Amino acid sequence: MKFIIILFFVGSALAQPVLDSIYVIDSTSAYFSQAVPLDDGGYILSGAQFEGRNSFWRVARMNAQREITWSRIFLSNPFFTMNEITVTDDAILVPGEITVPIDSNTSTSASMAVAYSLDGDSLWANPFEDSLNYVKFSSACAAPDGGFYILGVIGIIEGTRFNHQIRLLRVTSTGEVVWDRRYGGIDYDAGGTIVRLAGDSLLVTALAVRNNVYNVEFMWTNLDGDSLGATLFPLDDSAYIYYPHHLYRRSDGWDFLWLVDYGSNDNTDSTFWLRTDFSGEVQFQRMLSAPTNSMQNFAPANDDFLTTGYSPFGTQNRNVVSGRANVAGYWYYNDPVDLPFSQEGYGFVPNDDEIIEVIGRSATSDSTGGNPCIFYLGGGGFSSYLYPIPALLEFGVVELDSAATRELGLSITWDSSVTITDFAVPDWAALSLDVPVTIQAGETLHCQAVFRPNALTQFTDTIHIFSDARNQDLGIPIHGAAPYPECRPSLATVNFFWTFVGDSVRRPLSIRNTGTVPLHIDPIAEPVPFFLDSTGPFVVPADSYAVLWFEFWPDSGIDYERLMILNSDDPGGPDTVRLLGRGIAQEVDANDRPELPTEFAVYPAYPNPFNATVSIRFDLPVTETVELVLFDLQGRRVKSVLSEVLNAGSRVVHIDGESLASGIYFARISTEAEHVVQKLLLVR
């Protein structure tokens, strides 16, 4: 069996490329995100196609003349994810995730792998699912006999939590499972990329969480899935991996590239770059930020890497973004290619020319959604970028009325000089920089940054340096803090939902001190009928938490809303937590006519998660037929709990889960005019 190895060859010019031409592949509303080369000069393409509000997986073959010879679509869904395809001499494997509808308003997800021949014939499709566990596929590679190895994650319910493990399947050329292996699962493990190595072994990259620390894991196995060893690479700042992520083979080792999410809303993506030798020894780790929230793909370029994507959401017309970074962790360029109408880049077409080929979609007018296309980008000869060393000024904790200094270097990426004309700093910082000043190619300008805290709090801002570089306004984040306590309630609102008068419900609330010194909380005034096990005072150590337990004890059938005030030595305080609950009268006097509901309403199930019985309360404004049906994760009908005519009023229905397996279920409560679906978790 011959295997296709994808290699990217690009030109050595480092200037920001400009648009040479756009080739529209066909007139469908679609895009392609991956192009795998074939021996005849053509490619297997993968992506998506759209018809109205429906989305399809799309796989196609393009010949050397850039013509589509066949195209296949699979599964119409409002949402789907198709991961990297695998191509051999005989077959194309497409792993991904699809939407499974439960009813007209509710859906869940399931994993799927689909195989096609190189002529576009459908070979097999298999969800590899079960009725209980969450499954997600991420990558695949070819097996020696024409089958495949498929990598992903499986979530198994253990007690009251999900245990996420790496899942590796070995399947035949007809999609039948040979073996199914699980790895990890101490905290959280999720498979990412798999490649077959010379010498009959496999390399699996994964996300592994150990003691709340995020790690990249390289794990080696033999072809039967037996582990041969593993290496963990701790991530800076607990950066969470999300798609896309890619593993590339170099002549002396591996490059692993992925996007990281720090939860910011500033339209900034960050790329993490891990380089190792073949044994897993780290050569460097890099984190690069870019002013776009839509980076989509990577490609190696000599010792550097290329990236493509499109300008942020919310812009009227998106532009294709192209970038190139070096091993020092800085961008040669990362800019939108200014184009008419809306354009999006999703991946690269491998070639050995000076032209960079970005595959994606292009709107040919301001009224079209976009057609699949190839953007041909050539050299442009633009001026240099200005970049800082380090990229982030982190001062840590500094005593009030003291000062700390850090050295800051300013350099450029190309051969044109850059003149700094001005700069701006926050009032609690300073910069020893005389302007104007010019930086020549190959030089680094050194200066001192100073942090002077003037309050017991955290300080986060940006130093701005203005120049005639490509990035005329260089922003350098600056962080610091004076010793401070910080009161962080885990919830802004604690809802006890409904409770019968005379009964009680308990709920916890954690108060975390995210500051650097102990937090002191004053005695708390109890917001009756919400009672505290202990009213304090409390002392919460730095980077720790305290748990407050409430008991809701309603004394009448009304809605309750109270505010709990947390007075502390947090300089940003006091903090307020909202407490909600509803009392339900268990008996009604015969002379008292209860007030009927005015609209159909369903209240959250309680308890949820549950391990035996769960109760759902709903309001019925008129007498009519009510049906309550339970479905499993695959949308299959499990049991009919209720189907009868009910009088107007408030009702409580109890669902017995004794005969059910642990897992996720959906309860659909329907009247003649409308319905509501609730998600339930049964844990044994």
Side-chain angles (χ1 to χ4, degrees):
M1 175 64 62
K2 186 173 93 177
F3 301 99
I4 294 175
I5 299 175
I6 304 174
L7 298 174
F8 291 89
F9 300 94
V10 298
S12 59
L14 301 182
Q16 161 72 32
V18 295
L19 180 67
D20 179 83
S21 60
I22 301 176
Y23 176 75
V24 177
I25 298 173
D26 60 31
S27 60
T28 57
S29 177
Y31 68 82
F32 290 116
S33 58
Q34 186 184 3
V36 180
L38 300 174
D39 287 344
D40 62 1
Y43 298 87
I44 298 296
L45 306 176
S46 68
Q49 182 169 321
F50 308 97
E51 294 181 7
R53 299 183 64 182
N54 292 324
S55 303
F56 300 83
W57 287 358
R58 187 182 184 194
V59 180
R61 182 165 181 168
M62 182 173 68
N63 62 24
Q65 290 73 44
R66 300 298 198 253
E67 300 168 332
I68 297 295
T69 58
W70 57 258
S71 179
R72 304 289 181 265
I73 61 175
F74 180 77
L75 289 173
S76 171
N77 282 281
F79 169 79
F80 70 92
T81 301
M82 180 168 61
N83 298 314
E84 294 289 304
I85 63 174
T86 300
V87 180
T88 71
D89 275 352
D90 301 317
I92 307 159
L93 183 72
V94 183
E97 187 176 358
I98 63 172
T99 296
V100 177
I102 294 173
D103 54 40
S104 59
N105 296 317
T106 310
S107 61
T108 184
S109 62
S111 286
M112 176 72 69
V114 182
Y116 294 93
S117 73
L118 294 187
D119 293 326
D121 299 322
S122 178
L123 300 179
W124 53 265
N126 195 333
F128 301 107
E129 292 279 2
D130 56 50
S131 61
L132 177 61
N133 300 314
Y134 165 80
V135 176
K136 183 179 180 66
F137 296 140
S138 60
S139 179
C141 70
D145 62 353
F148 296 93
Y149 297 97
I150 304 176
L151 179 68
V153 61
I154 183 166
I156 303 171
I157 296 177
E158 292 185 347
T160 60
R161 54 166 287 178
F162 272 106
N163 178 12
H164 290 82
Q165 296 179 317
I166 300 168
R167 185 187 189 192
L168 180 59
L169 291 167
R170 168 74 160 82
V171 302
T172 66
S173 58
T174 58
E176 298 173 350
V177 176
V178 178
W179 48 256
D180 186 347
R181 305 292 293 270
R182 318 289 170 84
Y183 311 90
I186 298 174
D187 276 319
Y188 181 97
D189 293 82
T193 305
I194 182 171
V195 294
R196 183 180 166 198
L197 307 176
D200 291 335
S201 61
L202 302 170
L203 171 59
V204 169
T205 66
L207 170 69
V209 182
R210 301 290 182 267
N211 299 319
N212 294 320
V213 175
Y214 288 87
N215 304 270
V216 170
E217 181 177 21
F218 280 18
M219 180 179 69
W220 292 266
T221 77
N222 61 23
L223 296 186
D224 292 324
D226 300 319
S227 179
L228 302 176
T231 300
L232 289 177
F233 308 104
L235 302 186
D236 295 346
D237 300 325
S238 297
Y240 189 83
I241 299 176
Y242 70 96
Y243 295 103
H245 54 260
H246 301 273
L247 181 70
Y248 298 112
R249 187 198 308 263
R250 303 187 331 276
S251 60
D252 59 348
W254 301 101
D255 278 339
F256 188 50
L257 298 163
W258 70 95
L259 301 182
V260 297
D261 182 10
Y262 291 100
S264 62
N265 295 314
D266 59 356
N267 286 337
T268 298
D269 258 356
S270 293
T271 297
F272 208 96
W273 185 1
L274 172 66
R275 174 168 286 185
T276 77
D277 60 21
F278 283 127
S279 67
E281 187 72 24
V282 175
Q283 296 184 0
F284 63 74
Q285 296 185 46
R286 301 275 187 266
M287 193 276 283
L288 301 93
S289 293
T292 169
N293 65 354
S294 298
M295 273 194 282
Q296 297 294 314
N297 218 321
F298 308 108
N302 299 326
D303 210 32
D304 307 330
F305 79 81
L306 300 174
T307 184
T308 189
Y310 45 84
S311 51
F313 291 104
T315 53
Q316 183 175 3
N317 288 325
R318 295 181 185 171
N319 285 317
V320 171
V321 173
S322 67
R324 181 166 181 163
N326 62 19
V327 294
Y330 299 104
W331 295 105
Y332 291 115
Y333 56 83
N334 196 300
D335 292 296
V337 180
D338 195 14
L339 301 171
F341 310 119
S342 185
Q343 324 286 338
E344 298 170 358
Y346 285 94
F348 293 92
V349 179
N351 70 79
D352 54 3
D353 300 325
E354 293 293 319
I355 294 291
I356 298 172
E357 299 181 33
V358 172
I359 194 168
R361 68 170 165 177
S362 171
T364 55
S365 72
D366 57 5
S367 61
T368 62
N371 308 127
C373 69
I374 301 174
F375 303 96
Y376 294 91
L377 307 178
F382 287 93
S383 59
S384 295
Y385 266 74
L386 179 67
Y387 65 85
I389 309 172
L392 166 68
L393 291 170
E394 178 60 72
F395 286 88
V397 178
V398 178
E399 293 294 331
L400 197 64
D401 299 324
S402 298
T405 61
R406 296 286 186 272
E407 183 174 282
L408 176 65
L410 298 170
S411 190
I412 59 179
T413 60
W414 194 229
D415 57 3
S416 60
S417 63
V418 168
T419 298
I420 298 174
T421 56
D422 202 356
F423 62 90
V425 297
D427 59 5
W428 39 265
L431 193 64
S432 63
L433 182 64
D434 294 325
V435 292
V437 60
T438 299
I439 306 173
Q440 302 295 333
E443 294 181 353
T444 299
L445 175 66
H446 297 277
C447 59
Q448 297 290 322
V450 182
F451 169 52
R452 297 191 184 95
N454 53 19
L456 295 176
T457 187
Q458 294 186 86
F459 297 85
T460 299
D461 211 320
T462 303
I463 291 177
H464 293 274
I465 297 181
F466 306 102
S467 70
D468 60 359
R470 285 279 291 147
N471 50 336
Q472 297 180 5
D473 179 359
L474 171 66
I476 307 172
I478 177 171
H479 297 165
Y484 70 98
E486 186 171 46
C487 183
R488 286 288 184 90
S490 58
L491 296 171
T493 300
V494 181
N495 196 334
F496 292 79
F497 302 111
W498 53 271
T499 303
F500 288 112
V501 173
D503 291 344
S504 64
V505 177
R506 287 171 59 82
R507 292 278 191 276
L509 174 71
S510 64
I511 309 295
R512 178 169 287 278
N513 176 13
T514 55
T516 61
V517 296
L519 170 72
H520 298 84
I521 302 175
D522 296 341
I524 301 171
E526 284 188 312
V528 178
F530 302 93
F531 299 92
L532 284 161
D533 284 5
S534 174
T535 58
F538 305 96
V539 178
V540 186
D543 195 26
S544 184
Y545 64 92
V547 177
L548 306 182
W549 279 94
F550 291 88
E551 189 165 11
F552 173 46
W553 204 316
D555 54 11
S556 59
I558 61 173
D559 291 335
Y560 293 89
E561 180 176 351
R562 302 288 187 268
L563 293 180
M564 180 184 70
I565 308 299
L566 297 172
N567 292 296
S568 69
D569 54 357
D570 178 351
D575 294 273
T576 302
V577 178
R578 183 166 167 248
L579 305 174
L580 301 176
R582 169 178 281 196
I584 303 295
Q586 300 196 59
E587 295 182 0
V588 179
D589 192 292
N591 296 321
D592 294 335
R593 188 177 185 85
E595 183 178 338
L596 294 178
T598 59
E599 60 182 13
F600 177 65
V602 180
Y603 299 91
Y606 181 80
N608 191 18
F610 70 104
N611 62 11
T613 302
V614 60
S615 300
I616 299 179
R617 176 178 174 266
F618 58 89
D619 292 341
L620 198 62
V622 296
T623 299
E624 60 180 321
T625 301
V626 178
E627 184 182 52
L628 196 160
V629 180
L630 203 63
F631 297 89
D632 65 12
L633 192 59
Q634 280 67 45
R636 296 174 299 205
R637 188 185 185 105
V638 174
K639 65 187 300 185
S640 176
V641 181
L642 173 69
S643 181
E644 60 182 277
V645 177
L646 298 179
N647 293 326
S650 295
R651 296 286 185 272
V652 177
V653 177
H654 305 286
I655 302 175
D656 184 4
E658 283 296 331
S659 61
L660 303 177
S662 296
I664 296 173
Y665 295 89
F666 296 90
R668 185 179 67 187
I669 304 98
S670 306
T671 67
E672 298 170 5
E674 53 189 319
H675 69 267
V676 173
V677 176
Q678 289 201 8
K679 184 177 181 179
L680 309 175
L681 176 60
L682 173 58
V683 179
R684 295 296 185 196

